[in-house]
Amino acid sequence: MLSPRLLRQPACQLRSWSSIPSQAAACRPSTRAFHASAPRQDPLLDAILYLPHEMMSLIHTTVPWYAAIPLSAFITRGLLVTTAGAWARSLTARYIGLHPLRQALAFQKRDEILRKGNFRTPKEAVLLVKKEVKDVTSALDKRWNVTLFGQFGWTLAQIPIFFAMAETIRQKCGARDGLLGMGLSAFKKDDAATSVGELAVTPSQWFEPSLATEGMLWFQDLLVPDPTGALPFVVSGLMFANIYMTKNTANSDAKWPNTFRRILLGVALLVGPLCQNLPAALLLYWGSSTSSVMLWNVWLDWKYPAPRGYTACKRPLLMPPTPVSKGRRA
C-alpha cells in the first residue's frame, strides 16, 4: 500500500530555469515577429490579381525586387497613359482651349438677359442667368465632345487599379491587412501587430521570401516596415509634389477646385505619419507609382499641350461712347 505522504501534493515547487525568461532576452529588441492568421479565400480576387502577380514575377526573373517593383509601377502606368490616359488628356486639352470662348459666351448671354430686364427680384435674375449660361456652355462642350465625364472617369478608373497592385504587393509580403487596414492601424493602440518590428501575416501562395533580402539603401528587408520611418515621408513628399505641380485644369472662378486641391495636399501630408506600419515593399511601389505619374505627365504635356493665358480681362471693359450722327447734332 502506498504511503499517504507519497500521495500528498507538494506545497511549494520551484520553477525551472528554462521557464524563467532571461533579462537579456526581455530587453532584446524584436527584429521581425510574424503573427499568422487564417488565409483568405477569394477566387474572384485571385483571378483579378493573377496578371499583376505574373507580371511582377516575370520581371523578377531578370532583376531583384528593389528594381522589379518600380519597373512594374512604370509599366502599369505606361499602359494606362498610352491608352485611356491619352484620350482623357486630349479631352482636357480641348476643354482648357475652349475656356476663353466659354467665358465669352457666358458674358454675352448674361448681358443679353440683363438688358431685357422684366425681373421681379434680383434673385430671379441671378437664377435665370445661371440657367442660360449653363445651357449655352453645355452645348459648346457637347459640340466639341469635352464633357467632364470622361475626365473624371479617367481619374476614378485609376483608383481600383492602384489598389489592385497594392493588394498584389500585400499578398507577396504575406501581410494580413491591406493598404487601408494598415493605415488605420495607426489609430489602434491596443493592437499587438502595430509595434515596431512586428507584422501580422497571412499564408499566401504568392508569398515571396526573397523580398526579405532584396531591398535597397537603408531598407534591405522589404517584408517589414522601414526601421528608420523615413520611407513613408519620402512617399508623402512625392505625392505632395505631384499634386502641387499638376496644372492640367482650366482657370476658373469657382472655389471648389482649389478646395479639393488643398484637401488632397493635406491627405498627402498625412501619409507619412499614418503609414509607418506598411511594409517597405508596398511603400516602394507607392513611391514608384507616384514618380511614374510625374514622368508620364511630362510626356502628356508634350503630346497634348493645352493653351493657357487666354482668359477674360480682370479690369472692367470701358466701351467708347456711341458716335452721334450729323443730322442729330444739327
Side-chain angles (χ1 to χ4, degrees):
M1 178 179 290
L2 296 176
S3 173
R5 185 177 299 179
L6 297 177
L7 299 177
R8 187 181 304 163
Q9 295 292 336
C12 182
Q13 185 176 3
L14 296 176
R15 296 176 61 186
S16 61
W17 286 103
S18 60
S19 62
I20 301 177
S22 61
Q23 184 178 2
C27 298
R28 186 184 303 120
S30 59
T31 55
R32 183 169 74 248
F34 295 97
H35 302 272
S37 58
R40 299 177 181 178
Q41 299 295 335
D42 195 342
L44 179 59
L45 182 62
D46 293 340
I48 295 174
L49 301 181
Y50 176 77
L51 288 179
H53 276 299
E54 290 296 328
M55 179 186 68
M56 289 187 181
S57 300
L58 181 62
I59 297 175
H60 180 241
T61 56
T62 56
V63 293
W65 280 117
Y66 70 82
I69 293 176
L71 283 176
S72 301
F74 185 81
I75 293 174
T76 303
R77 184 67 187 180
L79 292 176
L80 292 175
V81 167
T82 54
T83 53
W87 171 76
R89 180 55 69 90
S90 64
L91 294 183
T92 305
R94 289 206 302 270
Y95 183 85
I96 296 175
L98 289 173
H99 192 62
L101 181 58
R102 193 179 296 107
Q103 283 185 325
L105 290 176
F107 292 152
Q108 181 184 11
K109 182 60 67 174
R110 181 198 62 184
D111 295 340
E112 179 183 344
I113 294 174
L114 295 180
R115 194 180 301 114
K116 292 180 180 179
N118 299 328
F119 303 114
R120 290 176 293 183
T121 59
K123 184 178 181 181
E124 181 182 353
V126 172
L127 292 178
L128 183 60
V129 168
K130 287 184 177 180
K131 179 181 178 300
E132 294 295 331
V133 168
K134 182 179 180 182
D135 292 341
V136 69
T137 54
S138 298
L140 176 67
D141 294 340
K142 186 177 181 181
R143 184 165 68 249
W144 285 88
N145 191 21
V146 290
T147 57
L148 294 178
F149 177 77
Q151 304 173 41
F152 284 117
W154 156 247
T155 303
L156 296 177
Q158 302 176 65
I159 298 177
I161 296 176
F162 172 77
F163 278 102
M165 297 299 294
E167 178 66 15
T168 303
I169 300 292
R170 182 199 68 80
Q171 291 185 0
K172 288 188 177 297
C173 294
R176 181 187 61 190
D177 297 324
L179 188 61
L180 292 178
M182 291 183 180
L184 294 177
S185 65
F187 298 100
K188 301 177 182 179
K189 297 181 180 179
D190 56 344
D191 192 358
T194 58
S195 59
V196 178
E198 294 187 352
L199 185 66
V201 300
T202 300
S204 173
Q205 60 177 341
W206 301 105
F207 178 69
E208 292 286 349
S210 57
L211 285 167
T213 58
E214 296 185 7
M216 61 184 297
L217 300 178
W218 67 88
F219 48 96
Q220 295 294 327
D221 190 348
L222 298 177
L223 292 177
V224 298
D226 179 15
T228 64
L231 190 56
F233 289 99
V234 172
V235 176
S236 178
L238 289 173
M239 291 182 61
F240 188 90
N242 179 37
I243 299 171
Y244 185 79
M245 293 189 302
T246 299
K247 298 180 180 180
N248 54 352
T249 57
N251 296 327
S252 177
D253 296 332
K255 296 181 179 180
W256 71 266
N258 290 331
T259 303
F260 184 68
R261 180 187 179 90
R262 290 170 184 171
I263 292 175
L264 292 180
L265 290 174
V267 172
L269 292 177
L270 291 176
V271 168
L274 293 182
C275 295
Q276 291 292 324
N277 298 319
L278 291 182
L282 191 53
L283 288 171
L284 178 60
Y285 176 80
W286 197 345
S288 302
S289 179
T290 305
S291 302
S292 301
V293 169
M294 299 171 68
L295 291 176
W296 281 108
N297 281 344
V298 174
W299 180 81
L300 287 174
D301 292 337
W302 170 78
K303 185 71 175 178
Y304 302 98
R308 297 185 179 275
Y310 302 98
T311 57
C313 184
K314 296 182 180 180
R315 295 179 299 175
L317 182 61
L318 301 178
M319 299 298 295
T322 305
V324 182
S325 60
K326 295 182 179 180
R328 293 182 57 185
R329 186 181 302 175

